[in-house]
Amino acid sequence: MIAVGGYEGEGVAILGLGRSGLSAARALRAGGARPVLWDDNPDARARAAEEGFELREFTRAGGFEGIATLVVSPGIPHLYPAPNEAIAAAWAAGVPVDNDIGLFFRALGQGAWDALDTPPKVIAVTGSNGKSTTSALIHHVLGAAGRASQLAGNIGRGVLDIEPPGEAGVIVLELSSYQTELARALTPDIAVFTNLTPDHLDRHGGLGGYFAAKRRLFAEGGPDRAVIGVDETEGRFLANQLSTAPADDRVIRVSVAAKPAGPGWQVAARKGFLTEWRKGRQVASIDLREVRGLPGAHNHQNACAAYAAVRALGLGPRQIEAGFHSFEGLPHRSQIVAEAGGVTFVNDSKATNVDSALKALLAFDRVRWICGGLMKEGGLDALGPGFAHVEKAYVIGREAAGFALGLSGVEAEICTDMATAVARAAAEAQPGETVLLAPAAASFDQYDNFEKRGDDFAAQVTAALGAGSGR
């Protein structure tokens, strides 16, 4: 645990008692603060009471008396579509609002690092798609190279649950827009921006607000190095904002869409090859085509971002390449769950929006596509470039019929449930094809989360293969 100091003897309110809320409460108590907690869920309050924490409903009169700051869990809206009532009450009382990410960076600044010859580093990764894989890949490559590393944030452990880093240690954080938009301290040594596509627009009041939340990671703390995906306008804008000259190597530009040009530090992937360019010259290359844990152009973009981050820490290209080859990928993200009869079964349940599903489709040539769920804003038209890769779609979810209507020109069978979709796809798949779960939709109409959906897919694949469905 990382103890959070600076609030000794003071009351600190914590709203929301999920993983991050309870973690923050424990870290604050360890640092000498007096945490005061609330959650609308009575079971969550009961768990907090069992640990001896004080409970208080902040929306009642005097709810913020004796409170120095309010720490909010990331799922609680503070601005759009409307401020949470307790947050509005904190504003009215003049109480600053923060989150566990802000506490984390504040606590690290208080660490006893003066005694270390090589202080720890923090790499923070944000973006719309690929941030989990990029974060996990950075962590894996560092470990494979013998560097002490911890993975936390929106993936792995809560940021305050990790151990205080030691000599030359590295903390890799995956940060969502919900986490970056509110943190009062954001001071990573290396910050990574993978890409930007529309998502969470209601929470941020539109695409501009969503980008602004991501941009705070770079604008608030001024990282020593910034790794920026420049295949969208927002990334090019951000890279330009952070650069002071064309050859400024504090910014490393990443692309899978354009050949590197200019004198700056760049990492690109084209036709399956990652290349590093500095001062207008190629200095390293890695063949990504045989890296099984990173299939498709979208994962090659993740590889470029991870490569740039660990290169900025001083790792060599061959060290990084070795780490890539031993990386098995993350569950629910282009995860191969079975291979039988020349057919590959891939779980990409994390493809919850149109952009990530399109990238999954483009990663494979002949796809039996399991899709559908709780549709998001914007429709399905942007999936069009991937339809040429689809042999047939098998649509699940309570809105399956409506979803299927959006798949213009694609043969679609309405299956509704996962068991039917997997059984039908497995029975019809031919050697050389891929049965791919890439829903392009949220899971909440049928599952608690995308992980449960992916687990169900894997279980149904096992059942279908065990039943001898043509394999």
Side-chain angles (χ1 to χ4, degrees), residues 398-422:
R398 292 204 296 261
E399 301 175 349
F403 195 99
L405 288 175
L407 305 179
S408 178
V410 173
E411 180 185 358
E413 179 177 339
I414 298 171
C415 299
T416 306
D417 61 85
M418 186 70 75
T420 303
V422 171

Side-chain angles (χ1 to χ4, degrees), residues 8-73:
E8 290 79 359
E10 295 185 296
V12 178
I14 299 173
L15 180 65
L17 302 179
R19 183 184 69 171
S20 67
L22 281 176
S23 173
R26 296 177 190 119
L28 284 159
R29 184 163 63 183
R34 179 174 58 85
V36 182
L37 282 56
W38 186 257
D39 192 296
D40 290 338
N41 186 324
D43 292 337
R45 297 198 301 270
R47 289 192 294 271
E50 288 175 1
E51 294 192 36
F53 288 113
E54 178 184 346
L55 299 172
R56 182 192 301 179
E57 192 169 358
F58 304 123
T59 53
R60 293 186 176 180
F64 284 100
E65 288 184 6
I67 297 297
T69 195
L70 169 64
V71 178
V72 179
S73 292

Side-chain angles (χ1 to χ4, degrees), residues 32 82 123 132 165 194-195 204 226 248 267 275 280 305 322 324 352 354 378 435 443:
I123 302 175
S132 293
T194 58
N195 50 56
H204 298 293
D248 186 352
V267 181
T275 56
F324 282 179
T352 58
V354 166
V435 175
S443 60

